Amino acid sequence: MEVIESLIDTSCDEYKANYEAMGKLVAELKAELNKAREDRSEKALKRNEELGKLPIQKRLDLLLDRNTPWLEIAPLAARGLYDRKVHGAGTRAGIGLVCGREVLVHANDPMIKGGTVYPMGVKKTLRCQTISMENNLPMIMLVDSGGAYLPLQSEIFPDTDDGGRIFYNQAIMSKMNIPQITAVMGLCTAGGAYIPAMSDHVVHVTGTGAIFLGGPPLVKAATGEEVTAEELGGAEVHCRQSGVSDYFAEDDRHALQIIRDIVALLPPLEKARVPRREPKRPLYDPQEIWGVVPRNISTPYDVREIIARMVDGSEFLEFKALYGPTLVCGWAYIHGYQVGILGNNGVLFSNSSLKATQFISLCDRQGIPLLFLQNINGYIIGREYERGGITKDGHKMVHAVSTATVPKFTVIVGASFGAGNYGMCGRGYSPRFLWMWPNAQIGVMGGEQAADVLVAVKNDQLARDGQPPLPQEIVEGIRGPIIHSALNEGNAYYSTANLWDDGILDPAMTRDVLGLAISSSLNAPLAGRHQGHGTFRM
């Protein structure tokens, strides 16, 4: 494959200004991540220590293989929501290695509101289960939770994507033969009691772990019986009498070692095979992406410059390079795994949509994972383009994205607006993972465009009534709040707080994150690779 020849001058003022701007965004990101991991009250820290529990980071350190990668999922979920202190939606989750096996770990943090579950915590758990099912990853649950946060119970309990879905998913995962291992390291209350009950293996820590449908206060209120948590649902009860728990652990360390022993005995798994070769570093430093990406999201740039700093050896075989130039398609390797890459270089026209459709079809038939680099304002609009069939051609691309069976990965590197989000495999199109860069924006359209549309609609209404257009001061009064709202609700932090993505990435780390994600995805078979129709030349 040919090496991409970069045209970026790293000594010019524009590059340096871009580099500095992205550096500030990445520094802010690191500060937010550190806050989410470390910001705990002295009272919570002291209480956790008094109970003999390990902090959540120490639990993860003892569970995971030493000095191995950790791909964290949604670390900034619920950022800015509730009272702004439900960091990570009250949990830590991610993919890591346990005894050499890739697993998904989901752990309650008892130092955040006693581990109580908020609505976004439910959503994060469901997202983790989806990742586990899609990628055939064993799931380890470190349970330490006081149950649902009752003031918000109406947002947690009744609907198809609320708390009950967790246990439904557990049943489906069991049917799929995905191992589920739960450590009861604290309270496991009410509906949460079904998490261990529906798991394959249950490790129960004596003295701190307790499983019950109704805790001591509820038992007393309902029956008048006075009982301690340990007497009601401790390790002695469930390991010796009820049989709910399988392994008796003396403390957190013991429990985590038992989990490692269980994982070590899981049947070996042969991963799906995709084209591979020996990994090579890019010829260009990935951190140069900081200077490649413009400070203004509306400023165009060549996505090949990102690809050159992301793929092995900066080598890229471009597909239909002269056709549909606003979409770059081609093959490359990332950490030794072959991928098909689609990256935006402008709005999507009919020819770029048809090129994407053919390229996606080829990758799907060849079993090559797909990577979408989104920086898209949408599909082209206007009379000429409607007559030319942009709607039907865009539909072909959306159809190809929807029905592709190979693992798909999406990184929003800039704008993600309108139907362009769909065609480039947004969240609704089930990429295995989706991330944003800190400069990224997402929405139906940009704030400026949304404001202009609303003003135009109002002026059209006035014209039909024979009235003059809006005066400039009223126009500005309409535009200001709309633009402000679009910026607030379309930025990367708003997205990640609401779990529209799996996290915000330092652009320089994207290559490594993709390598981990691709490896994880290969625990699941490549479904339907030899099914369906042949490739149509679009």
Side-chain angles (χ1 to χ4, degrees):
M1 290 190 287
E2 292 187 3
V3 172
I4 297 175
E5 184 178 349
S6 177
L7 301 179
I8 295 293
D9 179 2
T10 58
S11 65
C12 74
D13 291 341
E14 182 68 14
Y15 174 88
K16 292 177 180 178
N18 290 339
Y19 191 99
E20 181 181 359
M22 183 62 79
K24 289 179 180 177
L25 293 176
V26 171
E28 180 186 359
L29 172 62
K30 290 179 178 178
E32 290 290 338
L33 291 170
N34 186 64
K35 180 180 178 182
R37 292 168 186 151
E38 304 293 338
D39 183 23
R40 306 293 183 267
S41 70
E42 288 296 326
K43 180 180 178 181
L45 289 166
K46 183 177 179 182
R47 176 61 175 164
N48 203 65
E49 186 176 354
E50 289 172 348
L51 292 172
K53 296 181 181 181
L54 295 174
I56 190 168
Q57 184 60 57
K58 186 63 176 177
R59 288 175 173 175
L60 293 173
D61 291 343
L62 290 171
L63 174 64
L64 300 167
D65 295 352
R66 295 182 66 181
N67 301 318
T68 56
W70 166 249
L71 177 55
E72 187 148 9
I73 305 298
L76 297 179
R79 175 190 176 273
L81 303 181
Y82 314 120
D83 65 354
R84 299 178 178 271
K85 294 183 179 179
V86 187
H87 302 300
T91 62
R92 294 282 300 279
I95 298 170
L97 290 176
V98 175
C99 296
R101 181 75 169 259
E102 286 169 321
V103 300
L104 193 148
V105 182
H106 180 283
N108 298 111
D109 190 341
M111 289 187 285
I112 298 177
K113 313 293 186 181
T116 51
V117 180
Y118 282 70
M120 206 54 65
V122 171
K123 187 173 182 180
K124 184 171 177 178
T125 303
L126 294 175
R127 174 62 187 148
C128 287
Q129 289 179 319
T130 298
I131 292 172
S132 174
M133 288 187 281
E134 288 182 341
N135 301 288
N136 194 31
L137 293 169
M139 188 160 180
I140 297 172
M141 302 278 284
L142 307 182
V143 181
D144 195 343
S145 171
Y149 181 66
L150 294 178
L152 296 177
Q153 62 172 330
S154 64
E155 300 177 38
I156 295 172
F157 175 69
D159 212 343
T160 55
D161 56 353
D162 285 339
R165 192 71 176 189
I166 294 171
F167 317 124
Y168 172 90
N169 283 347
Q170 283 192 272
I172 299 300
M173 291 165 69
S174 182
K175 186 177 180 179
M176 295 172 65
N177 198 26
I178 296 174
Q180 298 175 74
I181 305 166
T182 292
V184 181
M185 310 182 87
L187 295 181
C188 199
T189 309
Y194 291 114
I195 291 177
M198 299 186 74
S199 297
D200 300 299
H201 300 272
V202 180
V203 183
H204 201 139
V205 179
T206 187
T208 56
I211 305 170
F212 33 63
L213 295 179
L218 182 57
V219 170
K220 183 175 181 180
T223 69
E225 180 184 9
E226 292 193 9
V227 63
T228 67
E230 188 68 14
E231 294 168 337
L232 184 61
E236 288 282 345
V237 172
H238 288 305
C239 287
R240 292 185 184 276
Q241 299 176 41
S242 75
V244 170
S245 302
D246 307 310
Y247 308 89
F248 186 96
E250 297 292 344
D251 54 23
D252 283 4
R253 291 176 182 271
H254 188 203
L256 295 166
Q257 183 56 54
I258 293 172
I259 292 175
R260 288 182 57 81
D261 292 341
I262 294 168
V263 174
L265 291 173
L266 292 176
L269 175 72
E270 184 175 346
K271 298 177 92 172
R273 295 182 180 180
V274 298
R276 295 194 63 181
R277 71 178 192 185
E278 281 298 311
K280 292 193 291 187
R281 290 194 57 79
L283 293 184
Y284 308 99
D285 185 352
Q287 194 153 331
E288 289 180 1
I289 294 174
W290 287 15
V292 170
V293 177
R295 302 181 299 286
N296 188 328
I297 200 169
S298 63
T299 302
Y301 65 97
D302 190 346
V303 72
R304 295 176 187 86
E305 297 288 356
I306 290 176
I307 296 171
R309 290 158 177 83
M310 193 177 289
V311 302
D312 291 8
S314 302
E315 295 173 345
F316 186 60
L317 175 59
E318 189 164 349
F319 177 73
K320 288 186 182 293
L322 303 180
Y323 182 79
T326 61
L327 184 70
V328 174
C329 300
W331 288 277
Y333 289 83
I334 294 179
H335 279 284
Y337 298 104
Q338 189 177 344
V339 292
I341 300 176
L342 299 92
N344 299 118
N345 259 359
V347 297
L348 291 164
F349 290 82
S350 282
N351 55 5
S352 45
S353 302
L354 295 174
K355 176 166 76 170
T357 304
Q358 185 181 354
F359 180 72
I360 292 167
S361 177
L362 287 169
C363 289
D364 197 38
R365 286 176 57 79
Q366 294 171 217
I368 300 171
L370 289 162
L371 169 60
F372 296 82
L373 301 176
Q374 279 200 21
N375 182 22
I376 179 67
N377 285 314
Y379 288 87
I380 192 67
I381 58 175
R383 181 170 60 182
E384 175 189 349
Y385 303 107
E386 291 296 347
R387 290 177 176 178
I390 183 60
T391 300
K392 65 180 176 64
D393 293 334
H395 143 262
K396 293 183 179 74
M397 180 178 177
V398 170
H399 184 89
V401 171
S402 302
T403 58
T405 59
V406 292
K408 299 175 288 190
F409 307 90
T410 302
V411 185
I412 301 178
V413 302
S416 179
F417 294 135
N421 170 276
Y422 305 156
M424 290 295 292
C425 199
R427 188 65 133 184
Y429 292 77
S430 296
R432 297 289 180 92
F433 297 91
L434 183 149
W435 301 276
M436 297 185 80
W437 283 357
N439 61 304
Q441 294 180 22
I442 186 170
V444 174
M445 63 182 71
E448 294 278 351
Q449 293 88 343
D452 290 343
V453 167
L454 289 175
V455 169
V457 168
K458 184 61 180 175
N459 280 334
D460 286 345
Q461 291 173 342
L462 292 172
R464 286 196 299 271
D465 294 337
Q467 299 182 39
L470 295 171
Q472 189 59 34
E473 62 270 18
I474 294 180
V475 168
E476 293 304 318
I478 293 174
R479 286 173 52 81
I482 294 170
I483 294 171
H484 179 75
S485 177
L487 289 173
N488 282 346
E489 297 182 3
N491 66 54
Y493 287 104
Y494 190 91
S495 169
T496 209
N498 286 281
L499 277 161
W500 298 347
D501 57 62
D502 295 311
I504 305 174
L505 301 180
D506 173 355
M509 299 302 297
T510 304
R511 164 183 161 81
D512 292 340
V513 168
L514 285 167
L516 295 173
I518 295 168
S519 175
S520 298
S521 75
L522 299 179
N523 286 277
L526 295 177
R529 178 173 167 183
H530 300 294
Q531 299 175 8
H533 54 73
T535 301
F536 294 114
R537 176 164 291 279
M538 298 299 176

